[in-house]
Amino acid sequence: EWATELQALAQTGLEYGHDKFDLERYQRIREISAQIMAQHTGLPLEKVTDLFCCESGYQTPKLDTRAAIFQDEKILLIQESDGRWALPGGWADVNITVGENAVKEVKEEAGLDVSVRLVIALQDQHKRNRPMNAYSVCKVLVLCDLLGGSFQPNLETVDSRYFALEELPPLSTGKTTAEQIKLCFEACHASHWTTLID
């Protein structure tokens, strides 16, 4: 967490600083933050630098949309190549809305057409999911209505199925936890839902 905060401060300083000596200091702080991250993760410094120190401007959280789709009291999960399961979703693209992104991700990963009904929750990934990312992530859990379609083989997922809450498969917890799925069930069954915000 300290390395992440140092990197964000350095990135902001590099964007808004004017003094050449301060800019040099901010760059060094950024390098140190990458070294700390590499030391504690075991990843090569070059990889950490590429992932952790590649942006400019004021650092803000990334958006990750996750769609909750229900059928016969079961929730749809997609299976990734490592065998673990998650709610369909992914990083929000810059040229579409959060809702459009949720619809797009479901189509790409599960082959289904859906419409967005409501936002279940806005969650801080660092508070809810493990392992943690080097950057801050806001997870947007969205309840969707199924319109049609069927699973199609694709580059991201190997299967999709519906699961009851009490029979969940091994989850990709960095993307989806059992607690998040339980929250989706609660939102689906609620007569009125108020979006939860971390």
Side-chain angles (χ1 to χ4, degrees):
E1 289 177 6
W2 290 342
T4 301
E5 185 175 355
L6 282 172
Q7 197 293 131
L9 290 170
Q11 181 174 311
T12 301
L14 288 169
E15 178 69 17
Y16 297 107
H18 299 292
D19 181 85
K20 65 181 180 180
F21 298 108
D22 282 344
L23 292 174
E24 188 175 85
R25 291 181 190 104
Y26 289 131
Q27 183 58 42
R28 181 63 188 130
I29 291 170
R30 193 175 214 189
E31 291 167 1
I32 292 169
S33 72
Q35 290 169 340
I36 292 169
M37 187 68 72
Q39 179 73 32
H40 286 278
T41 61
L43 293 171
L45 179 59
E46 298 76 24
K47 180 168 180 135
V48 170
T49 301
D50 285 346
L51 293 172
F52 190 52
C53 304
C54 63
E55 296 181 10
S56 61
Y58 190 83
Q59 193 168 42
T60 61
K62 293 180 177 292
L63 288 175
D64 174 30
T65 62
R66 295 287 154 183
I69 304 148
F70 289 89
Q71 190 174 64
D72 300 325
E73 293 299 311
K74 295 182 176 184
I75 193 166
L76 180 81
L77 299 177
I78 50 95
Q79 187 179 36
E80 300 179 331
S81 58
D82 66 359
R84 299 192 176 273
W85 297 76
L87 292 169
W91 296 127
D93 289 335
V94 295
N95 57 346
I96 58 176
T97 68
V98 168
E100 291 168 342
N101 197 76
V103 169
K104 176 187 76 73
E105 290 289 334
V106 171
K107 185 66 172 177
E108 289 176 357
E109 295 185 346
L112 301 180
D113 298 307
V114 297
S115 61
V116 173
R117 188 189 321 171
L118 59 85
V119 174
I120 298 168
L122 301 173
Q123 294 187 329
D124 182 329
Q125 186 186 43
H126 286 182
K127 292 183 177 182
R128 308 287 178 168
N129 301 80
R130 295 291 181 268
M132 292 172 56
N133 278 309
Y135 31 79
S136 179
V137 178
C138 177
K139 292 185 104 35
V140 185
L141 304 177
V142 230
L143 182 60
C144 296
D145 293 316
L146 178 61
L147 302 176
S150 61
F151 181 78
Q152 303 295 320
N154 63 80
L155 296 173
E156 297 185 62
T157 60
V158 296
D159 197 5
S160 71
R161 285 188 230 158
Y162 289 90
F163 294 90
L165 183 57
E166 61 276 4
E167 55 185 28
L168 296 176
L171 298 173
S172 178
T173 56
K175 297 177 180 178
T176 304
T177 65
E179 292 76 21
Q180 288 165 331
I181 292 173
K182 183 174 184 282
L183 186 64
C184 294
F185 271 90
E186 291 171 7
C188 181
H189 291 126
S191 57
H192 175 76
W193 184 258
T194 301
T195 300
L196 303 177
I197 303 175
D198 278 344

